[in-house]
Amino acid sequence: MGERLHVLYRIQCAPDQASGRALGIALEQSTELPAGAEPEAIHALGLPGRVEELVPAAWPPPDAHALPAFDARISFPTELAAGGITALANVLFGNTSMQTDVTLLDADLPAALVADYGGPRLGSEGLRRLLAIPRGPLTCTALKPVGASVAELATLAGRFAAAGIDIIKDDHGIGDQQYAPFAERMPACLAAVAEANARRGGSSLYVPHISGPLDTMRRRLDLCRRAGARAVMVAPMLVGLPAFAAIAAEAAWGSEPLVVLGHPALSGAARISPALLLGKIYRLLGADAVIFVNYGGRFGTPPAICQALAHGLRTPWGHLRPALPVPAGGMTVERVADLLQFYGPDLVLLISGALFPADEGLDARSRRFVEAVRAADAQAEFSPPAANATPEKGTP
Amino acid sequence: MGERLHVLYRIQCAPDQASGRALGIALEQSTELPAGAEPEAIHALGLPGRVEELVPAAWPPPDAHALPAFDARISFPTELAAGGITALANVLFGNTSMQTDVTLLDADLPAALVADYGGPRLGSEGLRRLLAIPRGPLTCTALKPVGASVAELATLAGRFAAAGIDIIKDDHGIGDQQYAPFAERMPACLAAVAEANARRGGSSLYVPHISGPLDTMRRRLDLCRRAGARAVMVAPMLVGLPAFAAIAAEAAWGSEPLVVLGHPALSGAARISPALLLGKIYRLLGADAVIFVNYGGRFGTPPAICQALAHGLRTPWGHLRPALPVPAGGMTVERVADLLQFYGPDLVLLISGALFPADEGLDARSRRFVEAVRAADAQAEFSPPAANATPEKGTP
């Protein structure tokens, strides 16, 4: 008891309905009974949920044709969400996810809940140690397209490593298709990057994408470890949040723990704030670095959400290690300096589509990306550091 | 090759941007490269995705203040989505889920993909056999609220069984909280229902909710089987679609297979049509019956979507057994006759909140629910049967 879980919902409705809707959410996410139909005895347990605050939404400004928006802060007893991410996700948004007038904005987890989660096992520091780059922005790109053969993808991996790109990940659409089966692709790309590293004295990291049911992911994680991979990428919403948490924990087993990179596929963006889902929950479950769709690219994420997301990953939070933000999605080399200014230097910049086609120009474009990041880092004056950026209310 | 996976997306945008956005989705969900940046060789594999059809959306009628909507049918090579639900979900909506102008409406799976899935192992027929009710509507209610003790929930279960309610499920918010730990609650409720069944010669079914990471669910499924339970409820989006598929398959192992009831928590409703997610995908992955939020209750699902969802569960589809639709969410006894008329008789009616509080009136309210369903079934003229209702375009 004592501390409660506080959850922030945005409700779009007529002003005279706001307090009724807020109470409705407090009940829907706890007792699922009309007010007063619950047994008296559960009041002593802090049930049902309580509306703590209800205010007109400060942001974004209301659209003249849309209903106004209200932010409801609702609290629940911690025990309701105890027992892992399945229970937590259900209290945060289970049935309410089906009410189209409500968006899940944020959550403040009491320390007793945070203690149940491992968070990033290596975190930004561990990832930087692997790359031997203690500070400043890191570069990342993707092996693509799906349909390319094992040999083509491995060659591409070697070329990116030769150009000096720090992190070379599988495109998340590349799984275990016959085009390039995982068991052949992963060691081939790993070897190509290792060879390029040996030639130039580099430490580029190849990050294979693992997916599928938990048992399949475990087999692939084991294959990665035996082959000498030092990192894996997982899309938590595709594989399921509990399976992601399991793999993130198991990746850290043994003497050579693997870095875990989170991918945003299937994370939606309209009903659960990416600042909460990717910035806090993915970190809570163990992502060492988190890919998210950047503002101004081909996705619609607003800058304020991107900033809150990056802040959520990097800011001190209980016993959890900080994780690295990886903005991506339609980014170009020309934007590098602006992005460094916006996010500060503790991040990974992911550019992939803009480096293609894989003709002879790809090597030069990749080197230009690496050089642009180095140059921007050398010139930038970082003020204020991103970790001090004002988060959304309730961000840790 | 040959057959392709066809996916229907709704795009809200200015008319002069519709064809560009449709092409953008076809690329985003396959090669993730600008058109033409892919290697020539992958064209022979049927890559990238292709826009097959783009038409103004017929429904709902455009809002005067909103952008118009367009329906894009986009096809992908079957191999792209092969290998299970993780790969399929990614092709359907992976990155595009983050583009707020797009909704995932429907998908037509080629037979080669459907063959990878087990579908309902018992289906509506198996569930009806367990209940010894070969035809007509079934009744269902929920044990609640979370916070009640094991003894209180077991007493409630016995009272519902005594009133003749066919299916008595845990509320999905009841997991393994200290209030009523799973290992104590499940056998206690099972025993209470068995005792009531013995007294009245009934065959009411208790359906415990299992959740958590896959390993935890496996332990709980095993506990259920040993205790003699014949059914479990799982929320696929809470536990992850691949974990749900694994549990649905494992529930059917052994000489006494367990019925699997799917719950819609965390399924959202705004960006993926419930007719696709709950009506087709949950069935594909093995749900024998699927709970969904009904029209006209406290959720906003339109009647046409409810009808398409029920149709998706019951209609012939390859080797997949039919599953039972379970409309729920703010339903009342007064609506029973209308709902039977709307859905036809092959369904489960779930009423829970309206039966509470758990005072002495609960028994009478529960019996009235059971009697109202019997009376409505006896009087109804079912024309046309719901399985002939016109589905949304692309529903199987």
PDB file of all heavy atoms in Angstrom, chain A residues 28 32 79-80 94 97 99 144 171-172 177-178 215 218 266 268 298, chain B residues 28 32 79-80 94 99 144 171-172 177-178 215 218 266 268 298:
ATOM      1  N   GLU A  28     -12.960   1.348 -14.973  1.00  0.00           N
ATOM      2  CA  GLU A  28     -12.675   0.378 -16.046  1.00  0.00           C
ATOM      3  C   GLU A  28     -11.332  -0.300 -15.814  1.00  0.00           C
ATOM      4  O   GLU A  28     -11.182  -1.499 -16.048  1.00  0.00           O
ATOM      5  CB  GLU A  28     -12.643   1.122 -17.397  1.00  0.00           C
ATOM      6  CG  GLU A  28     -12.551   0.230 -18.612  1.00  0.00           C
ATOM      7  CD  GLU A  28     -13.871  -0.484 -18.882  1.00  0.00           C
ATOM      8  OE1 GLU A  28     -14.883   0.190 -19.056  1.00  0.00           O
ATOM      9  OE2 GLU A  28     -13.869  -1.730 -18.911  1.00  0.00           O
ATOM     10  N   GLU A  32     -13.886  -2.612 -12.773  1.00  0.00           N
ATOM     11  CA  GLU A  32     -14.804  -2.887 -13.883  1.00  0.00           C
ATOM     12  C   GLU A  32     -16.237  -3.057 -13.415  1.00  0.00           C
ATOM     13  O   GLU A  32     -16.941  -3.930 -13.894  1.00  0.00           O
ATOM     14  CB  GLU A  32     -14.355  -4.145 -14.625  1.00  0.00           C
ATOM     15  CG  GLU A  32     -13.715  -3.874 -15.954  1.00  0.00           C
ATOM     16  CD  GLU A  32     -13.655  -5.136 -16.809  1.00  0.00           C
ATOM     17  OE1 GLU A  32     -12.692  -5.900 -16.680  1.00  0.00           O
ATOM     18  OE2 GLU A  32     -14.587  -5.337 -17.606  1.00  0.00           O
ATOM     19  N   GLU A  79      -0.295  -2.822  -5.817  1.00  0.00           N
ATOM     20  CA  GLU A  79      -0.495  -4.277  -5.901  1.00  0.00           C
ATOM     21  C   GLU A  79      -1.297  -4.683  -7.141  1.00  0.00           C
ATOM     22  O   GLU A  79      -1.105  -5.769  -7.687  1.00  0.00           O
ATOM     23  CB  GLU A  79      -1.193  -4.772  -4.626  1.00  0.00           C
ATOM     24  CG  GLU A  79      -1.550  -6.251  -4.603  1.00  0.00           C
ATOM     25  CD  GLU A  79      -0.355  -7.184  -4.727  1.00  0.00           C
ATOM     26  OE1 GLU A  79       0.785  -6.741  -4.459  1.00  0.00           O
ATOM     27  OE2 GLU A  79      -0.544  -8.355  -5.118  1.00  0.00           O
ATOM     28  N   LEU A  80      -2.173  -3.783  -7.601  1.00  0.00           N
ATOM     29  CA  LEU A  80      -2.994  -4.101  -8.776  1.00  0.00           C
ATOM     30  C   LEU A  80      -2.122  -4.415  -9.991  1.00  0.00           C
ATOM     31  O   LEU A  80      -2.476  -5.262 -10.812  1.00  0.00           O
ATOM     32  CB  LEU A  80      -3.906  -2.901  -9.091  1.00  0.00           C
ATOM     33  CG  LEU A  80      -5.060  -3.127 -10.057  1.00  0.00           C
ATOM     34  CD1 LEU A  80      -6.085  -4.075  -9.465  1.00  0.00           C
ATOM     35  CD2 LEU A  80      -5.732  -1.811 -10.422  1.00  0.00           C
ATOM     36  N   GLY A  94      -5.398  -1.671 -20.505  1.00  0.00           N
ATOM     37  CA  GLY A  94      -6.131  -2.868 -20.950  1.00  0.00           C
ATOM     38  C   GLY A  94      -7.424  -2.578 -21.684  1.00  0.00           C
ATOM     39  O   GLY A  94      -7.449  -2.482 -22.913  1.00  0.00           O
ATOM     40  N   SER A  97      -7.829   0.884 -23.807  1.00  0.00           N
ATOM     41  CA  SER A  97      -7.266   0.953 -25.163  1.00  0.00           C
ATOM     42  C   SER A  97      -8.359   0.822 -26.218  1.00  0.00           C
ATOM     43  O   SER A  97      -8.168   1.202 -27.364  1.00  0.00           O
ATOM     44  CB  SER A  97      -6.219  -0.152 -25.379  1.00  0.00           C
ATOM     45  OG  SER A  97      -6.851  -1.413 -25.555  1.00  0.00           O
ATOM     46  N   GLN A  99     -11.283   2.315 -25.998  1.00  0.00           N
ATOM     47  CA  GLN A  99     -12.118   3.512 -26.010  1.00  0.00           C
ATOM     48  C   GLN A  99     -11.385   4.579 -26.808  1.00  0.00           C
ATOM     49  O   GLN A  99     -10.346   5.081 -26.385  1.00  0.00           O
ATOM     50  CB  GLN A  99     -12.423   3.942 -24.576  1.00  0.00           C
ATOM     51  CG  GLN A  99     -13.258   2.847 -23.874  1.00  0.00           C
ATOM     52  CD  GLN A  99     -13.641   3.165 -22.461  1.00  0.00           C
ATOM     53  OE1 GLN A  99     -12.837   3.678 -21.701  1.00  0.00           O
ATOM     54  NE2 GLN A  99     -14.869   2.839 -22.084  1.00  0.00           N
ATOM     55  N   LYS A 144      19.615  -3.872 -45.723  1.00  0.00           N
ATOM     56  CA  LYS A 144      18.349  -3.999 -46.421  1.00  0.00           C
ATOM     57  C   LYS A 144      18.608  -4.081 -47.901  1.00  0.00           C
ATOM     58  O   LYS A 144      19.735  -3.842 -48.317  1.00  0.00           O
ATOM     59  CB  LYS A 144      17.397  -2.851 -46.073  1.00  0.00           C
ATOM     60  CG  LYS A 144      17.969  -1.451 -46.285  1.00  0.00           C
ATOM     61  CD  LYS A 144      16.952  -0.356 -46.108  1.00  0.00           C
ATOM     62  CE  LYS A 144      16.508  -0.103 -44.695  1.00  0.00           C
ATOM     63  NZ  LYS A 144      15.712   1.103 -44.510  1.00  0.00           N
ATOM     64  N   ASP A 171      17.684  -4.877 -41.045  1.00  0.00           N
ATOM     65  CA  ASP A 171      16.389  -4.244 -41.175  1.00  0.00           C
ATOM     66  C   ASP A 171      15.403  -5.127 -40.406  1.00  0.00           C
ATOM     67  O   ASP A 171      15.512  -6.353 -40.415  1.00  0.00           O
ATOM     68  CB  ASP A 171      16.007  -4.194 -42.659  1.00  0.00           C
ATOM     69  CG  ASP A 171      14.996  -3.101 -42.945  1.00  0.00           C
ATOM     70  OD1 ASP A 171      14.846  -2.197 -42.103  1.00  0.00           O
ATOM     71  OD2 ASP A 171      14.375  -3.148 -44.013  1.00  0.00           O
ATOM     72  N   HIS A 172      14.414  -4.516 -39.724  1.00  0.00           N
ATOM     73  CA  HIS A 172      13.542  -5.345 -38.878  1.00  0.00           C
ATOM     74  C   HIS A 172      12.602  -6.226 -39.696  1.00  0.00           C
ATOM     75  O   HIS A 172      12.018  -7.162 -39.166  1.00  0.00           O
ATOM     76  CB  HIS A 172      12.737  -4.471 -37.922  1.00  0.00           C
ATOM     77  CG  HIS A 172      11.637  -3.746 -38.627  1.00  0.00           C
ATOM     78  ND1 HIS A 172      11.878  -2.676 -39.454  1.00  0.00           N
ATOM     79  CD2 HIS A 172      10.312  -3.974 -38.678  1.00  0.00           C
ATOM     80  CE1 HIS A 172      10.733  -2.275 -39.963  1.00  0.00           C
ATOM     81  NE2 HIS A 172       9.769  -3.034 -39.511  1.00  0.00           N
ATOM     82  N   GLN A 177      13.150 -15.371 -43.550  1.00  0.00           N
ATOM     83  CA  GLN A 177      12.624 -15.732 -44.857  1.00  0.00           C
ATOM     84  C   GLN A 177      13.659 -16.567 -45.629  1.00  0.00           C
ATOM     85  O   GLN A 177      14.861 -16.447 -45.394  1.00  0.00           O
ATOM     86  CB  GLN A 177      12.286 -14.474 -45.673  1.00  0.00           C
ATOM     87  CG  GLN A 177      11.129 -13.654 -45.109  1.00  0.00           C
ATOM     88  CD  GLN A 177      11.597 -12.488 -44.262  1.00  0.00           C
ATOM     89  OE1 GLN A 177      12.756 -12.454 -43.828  1.00  0.00           O
ATOM     90  NE2 GLN A 177      10.712 -11.541 -44.010  1.00  0.00           N
ATOM     91  N   GLN A 178      13.149 -17.359 -46.574  1.00  0.00           N
ATOM     92  CA  GLN A 178      14.043 -18.161 -47.426  1.00  0.00           C
ATOM     93  C   GLN A 178      15.056 -17.289 -48.161  1.00  0.00           C
ATOM     94  O   GLN A 178      16.112 -17.767 -48.547  1.00  0.00           O
ATOM     95  CB  GLN A 178      13.220 -18.928 -48.474  1.00  0.00           C
ATOM     96  CG  GLN A 178      12.398 -20.073 -47.903  1.00  0.00           C
ATOM     97  CD  GLN A 178      11.456 -20.664 -48.950  1.00  0.00           C
ATOM     98  OE1 GLN A 178      11.676 -20.512 -50.150  1.00  0.00           O
ATOM     99  NE2 GLN A 178      10.405 -21.315 -48.488  1.00  0.00           N
ATOM    100  N   ASP A 215      10.542 -19.408 -27.704  1.00  0.00           N
ATOM    101  CA  ASP A 215      11.453 -20.542 -27.856  1.00  0.00           C
ATOM    102  C   ASP A 215      12.375 -20.336 -29.058  1.00  0.00           C
ATOM    103  O   ASP A 215      13.561 -20.641 -29.013  1.00  0.00           O
ATOM    104  CB  ASP A 215      10.660 -21.843 -28.000  1.00  0.00           C
ATOM    105  CG  ASP A 215       9.769 -22.095 -26.778  1.00  0.00           C
ATOM    106  OD1 ASP A 215      10.148 -21.656 -25.675  1.00  0.00           O
ATOM    107  OD2 ASP A 215       8.704 -22.707 -26.936  1.00  0.00           O
ATOM    108  N   ARG A 218      14.954 -17.743 -28.214  1.00  0.00           N
ATOM    109  CA  ARG A 218      15.998 -18.306 -27.343  1.00  0.00           C
ATOM    110  C   ARG A 218      17.024 -19.079 -28.163  1.00  0.00           C
ATOM    111  O   ARG A 218      18.224 -18.965 -27.928  1.00  0.00           O
ATOM    112  CB  ARG A 218      15.354 -19.227 -26.300  1.00  0.00           C
ATOM    113  CG  ARG A 218      14.729 -18.447 -25.167  1.00  0.00           C
ATOM    114  CD  ARG A 218      14.028 -19.351 -24.163  1.00  0.00           C
ATOM    115  NE  ARG A 218      13.680 -18.557 -22.990  1.00  0.00           N
ATOM    116  CZ  ARG A 218      12.621 -18.791 -22.206  1.00  0.00           C
ATOM    117  NH1 ARG A 218      11.822 -19.814 -22.442  1.00  0.00           N
ATOM    118  NH2 ARG A 218      12.379 -18.020 -21.168  1.00  0.00           N
ATOM    119  N   LEU A 266       5.235  -1.984 -34.843  1.00  0.00           N
ATOM    120  CA  LEU A 266       3.912  -2.261 -34.255  1.00  0.00           C
ATOM    121  C   LEU A 266       3.626  -1.482 -32.973  1.00  0.00           C
ATOM    122  O   LEU A 266       2.668  -1.758 -32.263  1.00  0.00           O
ATOM    123  CB  LEU A 266       3.738  -3.777 -33.994  1.00  0.00           C
ATOM    124  CG  LEU A 266       2.284  -4.290 -34.039  1.00  0.00           C
ATOM    125  CD1 LEU A 266       1.705  -4.165 -35.425  1.00  0.00           C
ATOM    126  CD2 LEU A 266       2.158  -5.718 -33.556  1.00  0.00           C
ATOM    127  N   GLY A 268       2.623   1.480 -32.773  1.00  0.00           N
ATOM    128  CA  GLY A 268       1.588   2.491 -32.953  1.00  0.00           C
ATOM    129  C   GLY A 268       2.151   3.849 -32.599  1.00  0.00           C
ATOM    130  O   GLY A 268       3.328   4.009 -32.351  1.00  0.00           O
ATOM    131  N   ARG A 298       9.546  10.648 -42.173  1.00  0.00           N
ATOM    132  CA  ARG A 298       8.323  10.185 -42.816  1.00  0.00           C
ATOM    133  C   ARG A 298       7.297   9.686 -41.794  1.00  0.00           C
ATOM    134  O   ARG A 298       6.319   9.055 -42.156  1.00  0.00           O
ATOM    135  CB  ARG A 298       8.635   9.119 -43.874  1.00  0.00           C
ATOM    136  CG  ARG A 298       9.235   7.838 -43.352  1.00  0.00           C
ATOM    137  CD  ARG A 298       9.558   6.884 -44.505  1.00  0.00           C
ATOM    138  NE  ARG A 298       9.900   5.571 -43.996  1.00  0.00           N
ATOM    139  CZ  ARG A 298      11.123   5.197 -43.653  1.00  0.00           C
ATOM    140  NH1 ARG A 298      12.147   6.032 -43.760  1.00  0.00           N
ATOM    141  NH2 ARG A 298      11.335   3.987 -43.205  1.00  0.00           N
TER     142      ARG A 298
ATOM    143  N   GLU B  28       7.295   0.907 -47.362  1.00  0.00           N
ATOM    144  CA  GLU B  28       7.582   0.867 -45.921  1.00  0.00           C
ATOM    145  C   GLU B  28       7.443  -0.554 -45.381  1.00  0.00           C
ATOM    146  O   GLU B  28       8.228  -0.991 -44.538  1.00  0.00           O
ATOM    147  CB  GLU B  28       6.604   1.792 -45.189  1.00  0.00           C
ATOM    148  CG  GLU B  28       6.892   2.009 -43.719  1.00  0.00           C
ATOM    149  CD  GLU B  28       8.100   2.916 -43.509  1.00  0.00           C
ATOM    150  OE1 GLU B  28       8.102   4.032 -44.039  1.00  0.00           O
ATOM    151  OE2 GLU B  28       9.055   2.479 -42.841  1.00  0.00           O
ATOM    152  N   GLU B  32      11.515  -0.967 -47.394  1.00  0.00           N
ATOM    153  CA  GLU B  32      11.924   0.199 -46.611  1.00  0.00           C
ATOM    154  C   GLU B  32      12.996   1.011 -47.326  1.00  0.00           C
ATOM    155  O   GLU B  32      13.958   1.479 -46.700  1.00  0.00           O
ATOM    156  CB  GLU B  32      12.456  -0.244 -45.253  1.00  0.00           C
ATOM    157  CG  GLU B  32      11.500   0.042 -44.123  1.00  0.00           C
ATOM    158  CD  GLU B  32      12.196  -0.038 -42.785  1.00  0.00           C
ATOM    159  OE1 GLU B  32      12.291  -1.149 -42.232  1.00  0.00           O
ATOM    160  OE2 GLU B  32      12.652   1.000 -42.297  1.00  0.00           O
ATOM    161  N   GLU B  79       6.078 -15.143 -49.054  1.00  0.00           N
ATOM    162  CA  GLU B  79       7.303 -15.484 -48.315  1.00  0.00           C
ATOM    163  C   GLU B  79       7.709 -14.385 -47.331  1.00  0.00           C
ATOM    164  O   GLU B  79       8.302 -14.658 -46.291  1.00  0.00           O
ATOM    165  CB  GLU B  79       8.447 -15.762 -49.301  1.00  0.00           C
ATOM    166  CG  GLU B  79       9.802 -16.045 -48.678  1.00  0.00           C
ATOM    167  CD  GLU B  79       9.804 -17.274 -47.763  1.00  0.00           C
ATOM    168  OE1 GLU B  79       8.931 -18.139 -47.882  1.00  0.00           O
ATOM    169  OE2 GLU B  79      10.718 -17.350 -46.901  1.00  0.00           O
ATOM    170  N   LEU B  80       7.371 -13.132 -47.661  1.00  0.00           N
ATOM    171  CA  LEU B  80       7.737 -12.016 -46.779  1.00  0.00           C
ATOM    172  C   LEU B  80       7.142 -12.199 -45.386  1.00  0.00           C
ATOM    173  O   LEU B  80       7.764 -11.832 -44.386  1.00  0.00           O
ATOM    174  CB  LEU B  80       7.222 -10.706 -47.396  1.00  0.00           C
ATOM    175  CG  LEU B  80       7.755  -9.395 -46.817  1.00  0.00           C
ATOM    176  CD1 LEU B  80       9.240  -9.244 -47.113  1.00  0.00           C
ATOM    177  CD2 LEU B  80       7.006  -8.200 -47.396  1.00  0.00           C
ATOM    178  N   GLY B  94       3.827  -3.317 -39.150  1.00  0.00           N
ATOM    179  CA  GLY B  94       5.042  -2.974 -38.397  1.00  0.00           C
ATOM    180  C   GLY B  94       5.330  -1.478 -38.313  1.00  0.00           C
ATOM    181  O   GLY B  94       4.927  -0.809 -37.363  1.00  0.00           O
ATOM    182  N   GLN B  99       2.467   5.536 -38.405  1.00  0.00           N
ATOM    183  CA  GLN B  99       2.007   6.648 -39.245  1.00  0.00           C
ATOM    184  C   GLN B  99       0.540   6.879 -38.924  1.00  0.00           C
ATOM    185  O   GLN B  99      -0.322   6.050 -39.234  1.00  0.00           O
ATOM    186  CB  GLN B  99       2.258   6.319 -40.711  1.00  0.00           C
ATOM    187  CG  GLN B  99       3.767   6.205 -40.955  1.00  0.00           C
ATOM    188  CD  GLN B  99       4.147   5.904 -42.384  1.00  0.00           C
ATOM    189  OE1 GLN B  99       3.519   5.084 -43.029  1.00  0.00           O
ATOM    190  NE2 GLN B  99       5.191   6.558 -42.865  1.00  0.00           N
ATOM    191  N   LYS B 144     -15.703 -10.845 -10.340  1.00  0.00           N
ATOM    192  CA  LYS B 144     -15.087  -9.559 -10.062  1.00  0.00           C
ATOM    193  C   LYS B 144     -15.607  -9.047  -8.747  1.00  0.00           C
ATOM    194  O   LYS B 144     -16.531  -9.646  -8.199  1.00  0.00           O
ATOM    195  CB  LYS B 144     -15.351  -8.569 -11.199  1.00  0.00           C
ATOM    196  CG  LYS B 144     -16.815  -8.392 -11.564  1.00  0.00           C
ATOM    197  CD  LYS B 144     -17.053  -7.301 -12.578  1.00  0.00           C
ATOM    198  CE  LYS B 144     -16.570  -7.546 -13.979  1.00  0.00           C
ATOM    199  NZ  LYS B 144     -17.006  -6.582 -14.975  1.00  0.00           N
ATOM    200  N   ASP B 171     -12.478 -12.085 -14.195  1.00  0.00           N
ATOM    201  CA  ASP B 171     -12.283 -10.769 -14.784  1.00  0.00           C
ATOM    202  C   ASP B 171     -10.819 -10.730 -15.247  1.00  0.00           C
ATOM    203  O   ASP B 171      -9.940 -11.269 -14.576  1.00  0.00           O
ATOM    204  CB  ASP B 171     -12.542  -9.709 -13.711  1.00  0.00           C
ATOM    205  CG  ASP B 171     -12.916  -8.379 -14.320  1.00  0.00           C
ATOM    206  OD1 ASP B 171     -13.293  -8.347 -15.509  1.00  0.00           O
ATOM    207  OD2 ASP B 171     -12.834  -7.364 -13.612  1.00  0.00           O
ATOM    208  N   HIS B 172     -10.550 -10.072 -16.402  1.00  0.00           N
ATOM    209  CA  HIS B 172      -9.176 -10.135 -16.924  1.00  0.00           C
ATOM    210  C   HIS B 172      -8.210  -9.319 -16.070  1.00  0.00           C
ATOM    211  O   HIS B 172      -6.998  -9.462 -16.206  1.00  0.00           O
ATOM    212  CB  HIS B 172      -9.136  -9.662 -18.368  1.00  0.00           C
ATOM    213  CG  HIS B 172      -9.276  -8.179 -18.469  1.00  0.00           C
ATOM    214  ND1 HIS B 172     -10.480  -7.548 -18.279  1.00  0.00           N
ATOM    215  CD2 HIS B 172      -8.368  -7.204 -18.682  1.00  0.00           C
ATOM    216  CE1 HIS B 172     -10.305  -6.256 -18.386  1.00  0.00           C
ATOM    217  NE2 HIS B 172      -9.043  -6.014 -18.629  1.00  0.00           N
ATOM    218  N   GLN B 177      -2.493 -11.206  -8.146  1.00  0.00           N
ATOM    219  CA  GLN B 177      -2.294 -10.269  -7.042  1.00  0.00           C
ATOM    220  C   GLN B 177      -2.439 -10.986  -5.703  1.00  0.00           C
ATOM    221  O   GLN B 177      -3.129 -12.003  -5.606  1.00  0.00           O
ATOM    222  CB  GLN B 177      -3.313  -9.120  -7.115  1.00  0.00           C
ATOM    223  CG  GLN B 177      -3.147  -8.207  -8.326  1.00  0.00           C
ATOM    224  CD  GLN B 177      -4.079  -8.554  -9.468  1.00  0.00           C
ATOM    225  OE1 GLN B 177      -4.625  -9.653  -9.519  1.00  0.00           O
ATOM    226  NE2 GLN B 177      -4.249  -7.637 -10.403  1.00  0.00           N
ATOM    227  N   GLN B 178      -1.815 -10.400  -4.672  1.00  0.00           N
ATOM    228  CA  GLN B 178      -1.931 -10.962  -3.315  1.00  0.00           C
ATOM    229  C   GLN B 178      -3.389 -11.060  -2.861  1.00  0.00           C
ATOM    230  O   GLN B 178      -3.716 -11.867  -2.000  1.00  0.00           O
ATOM    231  CB  GLN B 178      -1.172 -10.081  -2.312  1.00  0.00           C
ATOM    232  CG  GLN B 178       0.330 -10.149  -2.429  1.00  0.00           C
ATOM    233  CD  GLN B 178       1.008  -9.105  -1.537  1.00  0.00           C
ATOM    234  OE1 GLN B 178       0.416  -8.628  -0.569  1.00  0.00           O
ATOM    235  NE2 GLN B 178       2.233  -8.741  -1.875  1.00  0.00           N
ATOM    236  N   ASP B 215       6.636 -18.688 -19.743  1.00  0.00           N
ATOM    237  CA  ASP B 215       6.968 -19.746 -18.779  1.00  0.00           C
ATOM    238  C   ASP B 215       5.942 -19.772 -17.635  1.00  0.00           C
ATOM    239  O   ASP B 215       5.535 -20.842 -17.188  1.00  0.00           O
ATOM    240  CB  ASP B 215       8.376 -19.539 -18.221  1.00  0.00           C
ATOM    241  CG  ASP B 215       9.417 -19.541 -19.340  1.00  0.00           C
ATOM    242  OD1 ASP B 215       9.184 -20.215 -20.363  1.00  0.00           O
ATOM    243  OD2 ASP B 215      10.450 -18.859 -19.211  1.00  0.00           O
ATOM    244  N   ARG B 218       2.728 -21.238 -18.912  1.00  0.00           N
ATOM    245  CA  ARG B 218       2.826 -22.702 -19.032  1.00  0.00           C
ATOM    246  C   ARG B 218       2.619 -23.364 -17.678  1.00  0.00           C
ATOM    247  O   ARG B 218       1.936 -24.382 -17.580  1.00  0.00           O
ATOM    248  CB  ARG B 218       4.202 -23.078 -19.598  1.00  0.00           C
ATOM    249  CG  ARG B 218       4.268 -22.863 -21.093  1.00  0.00           C
ATOM    250  CD  ARG B 218       5.653 -23.151 -21.655  1.00  0.00           C
ATOM    251  NE  ARG B 218       5.572 -23.201 -23.110  1.00  0.00           N
ATOM    252  CZ  ARG B 218       6.562 -22.860 -23.941  1.00  0.00           C
ATOM    253  NH1 ARG B 218       7.731 -22.477 -23.450  1.00  0.00           N
ATOM    254  NH2 ARG B 218       6.396 -22.921 -25.233  1.00  0.00           N
ATOM    255  N   LEU B 266      -5.983  -4.463 -24.269  1.00  0.00           N
ATOM    256  CA  LEU B 266      -4.858  -3.829 -24.982  1.00  0.00           C
ATOM    257  C   LEU B 266      -4.941  -3.960 -26.506  1.00  0.00           C
ATOM    258  O   LEU B 266      -3.991  -3.679 -27.214  1.00  0.00           O
ATOM    259  CB  LEU B 266      -3.515  -4.379 -24.483  1.00  0.00           C
ATOM    260  CG  LEU B 266      -2.323  -3.426 -24.602  1.00  0.00           C
ATOM    261  CD1 LEU B 266      -2.490  -2.235 -23.680  1.00  0.00           C
ATOM    262  CD2 LEU B 266      -0.997  -4.093 -24.297  1.00  0.00           C
ATOM    263  N   GLY B 268      -6.650  -2.171 -28.442  1.00  0.00           N
ATOM    264  CA  GLY B 268      -6.898  -0.890 -29.088  1.00  0.00           C
ATOM    265  C   GLY B 268      -8.150  -0.998 -29.928  1.00  0.00           C
ATOM    266  O   GLY B 268      -8.856  -1.994 -29.925  1.00  0.00           O
ATOM    267  N   ARG B 298     -20.319   0.612 -23.480  1.00  0.00           N
ATOM    268  CA  ARG B 298     -19.469   1.719 -23.071  1.00  0.00           C
ATOM    269  C   ARG B 298     -18.221   1.823 -23.934  1.00  0.00           C
ATOM    270  O   ARG B 298     -17.281   2.538 -23.611  1.00  0.00           O
ATOM    271  CB  ARG B 298     -19.118   1.616 -21.582  1.00  0.00           C
ATOM    272  CG  ARG B 298     -18.309   0.406 -21.177  1.00  0.00           C
ATOM    273  CD  ARG B 298     -18.054   0.394 -19.662  1.00  0.00           C
ATOM    274  NE  ARG B 298     -17.093  -0.627 -19.322  1.00  0.00           N
ATOM    275  CZ  ARG B 298     -17.396  -1.901 -19.054  1.00  0.00           C
ATOM    276  NH1 ARG B 298     -18.633  -2.312 -19.083  1.00  0.00           N
ATOM    277  NH2 ARG B 298     -16.434  -2.749 -18.768  1.00  0.00           N
TER     278      ARG B 298
END
